Amino acid sequence: MKKTYKIEVDCANCANKMEEAARNTQGVKEATVNFMMLKMIVEFEEGAEPKAVMKEVLKNCKKVEDDCDIYI
């Protein structure tokens, strides 16, 4: 399942860090961040609960870019 989330991030480099952090989160099959559109598209692994996974994605993104935000 794929879902799109609105994000808040200040620069393209930070967006790349968020994308990498999201990809490395358990339950995420693939993640793409579009800095210009301020969106993150996340494809979840089979059987993953999107809300729970996105909470972990946000935690991981905050570790690499503390002023970012994902609107879950």
Side-chain angles (χ1 to χ4, degrees):
M1 166 189 341
K2 277 188 183 180
K3 287 192 161 213
T4 302
Y5 298 91
K6 183 177 177 345
I7 63 169
E8 193 170 302
V9 64
D10 296 331
C11 68
N13 186 45
C14 300
N16 286 338
K17 290 178 184 179
M18 285 180 68
E19 184 175 289
E20 188 63 31
R23 285 183 177 160
N24 291 329
T25 303
Q26 187 173 350
V28 175
K29 186 174 182 180
E30 183 61 44
T32 306
V33 172
N34 184 322
F35 172 66
M36 297 300 288
M37 300 294 289
L38 293 176
K39 292 188 179 196
M40 176 186 283
I41 301 168
V42 179
E43 183 176 355
F44 299 96
E45 292 178 354
E46 191 73 31
E49 175 57 47
K51 283 190 178 191
V53 172
M54 287 309 294
K55 285 182 183 179
E56 291 302 311
V57 168
L58 181 58
K59 280 185 200 173
N60 290 340
C61 286
K62 291 273 188 192
K63 288 178 187 172
V64 295
E65 190 53 47
D66 63 346
D67 66 345
C68 70
D69 208 352
I70 301 171
Y71 299 98
I72 302 171

